[in-house]
Amino acid sequence: MTKYEMLYILDIDLSDEAKESIIKKFEDLVTANGGVIEKTDRWGAKKLQYPINYKSEGYYVLMTFEAEKTLVVELKRIAGITDGIVRRLITKR
């Protein structure tokens, strides 16, 4: 298995429960598909470099995990269709 990092930005207007729900959704997706989560860092609200969807702040989350490449493709797909995710980036460590 390969080590990856997934950095994603959540909509700042989401409630705390909704943010935690999305974070848990991705953690559960990794573990259900045979991956191992090393850690999930909640960086919190930070100013965006440029406005996205007329918003200047976002809630940053960094998830470090080990998984197969097929899971990474699925994570990208799910993140792309999940409401509340502004941007996402998955890279090899």
Side-chain angles (χ1 to χ4, degrees), residues 7-66:
L7 177 66
Y8 54 101
I9 306 171
L10 300 174
D11 189 342
I12 195 72
D13 294 334
L14 292 174
S15 67
D16 290 340
E17 294 83 22
K19 289 174 188 167
E20 288 301 319
S21 172
I22 292 173
I23 293 168
K24 183 164 175 28
K25 174 182 175 178
F26 286 112
E27 289 176 342
D28 291 345
L29 186 63
V30 169
T31 55
N33 288 295
V36 178
I37 295 179
E38 290 181 12
K39 64 181 175 177
T40 301
D41 289 331
R42 291 160 177 82
W43 292 356
K46 296 200 178 289
K47 186 168 171 47
L48 299 173
Q49 184 68 32
Y50 53 89
I52 301 173
N53 298 333
Y54 305 104
K55 305 209 180 188
S56 59
E57 283 190 326
Y59 188 87
Y60 284 71
V61 180
L62 176 68
M63 180 173 67
T64 307
F65 63 97
E66 289 184 37

